[in-house]
């Protein structure tokens, strides 16, 4: 029973952390279905899921490390360290804010000098005698445009 609870706790912690990041971050295939509600549900209640996973694991970890054979102890320690590394990486290194930095310099070329294929769909903005076009694929991936056209911010 102890090992079952330990494995269930690891499963709860890992699956929730990975699913939360996978559904929110634009990874290939992560936004194919309408799963954004699931992502925000997981994000909103992540603390409750973490507490549940830790509660499932706490007693079994204590018992297995204290009374288990040497091989069991080391297996439990390695799995807990692995779990902590995964949670650290997901919450600090793989967050969208850390992975997808805002560009510091935007280089927009005239239509004759750009490298965007002419068949690509773009969203065009014209203000105060200034025009700019943004590829829809890029806007869809980053979900935003931060620029100024004709002295007016575009967001």
């Amino acid at each position: 029973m102890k090992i079952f609870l330990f494995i269930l706790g690891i499963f709860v912690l890992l699956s929730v952390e990975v699913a939360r990041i996978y559904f929110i971050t634009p990874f290939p295939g992560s936004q194919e279905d309408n799963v954004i509600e699931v992502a925000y549900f997981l994000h909103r209640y992540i603390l409750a899921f973490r507490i549940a996973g830790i509660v499932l694991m706490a007693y079994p970890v204590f018992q297995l490390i204290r009374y288990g054979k040497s091989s069991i102890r080391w297996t439990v320690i390695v799995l807990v360290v692995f779990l902590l590394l995964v949670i650290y990486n997901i919450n600090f290194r793989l967050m969208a804010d850390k992975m997808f930095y805002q560009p510091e310099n935007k280089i927009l070329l005239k239509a004759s000098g750009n490298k965007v294929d002419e068949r690509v769909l773009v969203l065009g903005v014209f203000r105060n005698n200034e025009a700019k076009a943004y590829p829809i694929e890029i806007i869809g991936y980053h979900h935003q445009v931060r620029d100024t056209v004709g002295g007016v911010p575009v967001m």
Side-chain angles (χ1 to χ4, degrees):
M1 186 66 168
K2 290 181 278 193
I3 292 177
F4 173 75
L5 290 176
F6 175 67
I7 292 171
L8 183 62
I10 286 179
F11 177 77
V12 166
L13 288 171
L14 277 179
S15 62
V16 169
E17 294 287 348
V18 170
R20 182 175 64 103
I21 296 301
Y22 179 75
F23 290 138
I24 287 179
T25 308
F27 289 117
S30 68
Q31 297 177 355
E32 296 291 324
D33 296 323
N34 192 12
V35 294
I36 198 71
E37 292 85 15
V38 174
Y40 284 113
F41 173 81
L42 293 174
H43 184 72
R44 188 177 307 118
Y45 296 106
I46 191 67
L47 185 59
F49 285 110
R50 287 177 180 162
I51 290 170
I54 290 169
V55 166
L56 286 169
M57 287 179 55
Y59 181 72
V61 166
F62 175 75
Q63 291 292 313
L64 291 169
I65 288 176
R66 185 164 185 195
Y67 301 113
K69 297 178 187 174
S70 180
S71 60
I72 298 282
R73 284 184 196 152
W74 283 108
T75 302
V76 168
I77 290 170
V78 166
L79 286 173
V80 169
V81 168
F82 172 75
L83 178 66
L84 292 173
L85 286 171
V86 168
I87 290 172
Y88 169 78
N89 279 305
I90 286 174
N91 286 285
F92 294 102
R93 297 192 56 162
L94 296 177
M95 293 298 294
D97 295 342
K98 303 285 185 193
M99 291 176 57
F100 304 109
Y101 295 110
Q102 294 295 326
E104 293 180 16
N105 300 317
K106 289 178 257 185
I107 300 172
L108 296 173
L109 302 172
K110 295 193 181 286
S112 61
N114 74 40
K115 296 180 182 177
V116 177
D117 189 334
E118 291 180 5
R119 295 172 290 186
V120 171
L121 290 175
V122 297
L123 177 65
V125 179
F126 181 79
R127 287 189 178 156
N128 300 332
N129 292 326
E130 184 180 5
K132 292 186 181 178
Y134 308 93
I136 291 177
E137 181 180 344
I138 302 299
I139 294 171
Y141 187 76
H142 291 286
H143 304 288
Q144 62 181 324
V145 172
R146 293 186 184 185
D147 199 3
T148 302
V149 179
V152 181
V154 176
M155 296 198 150

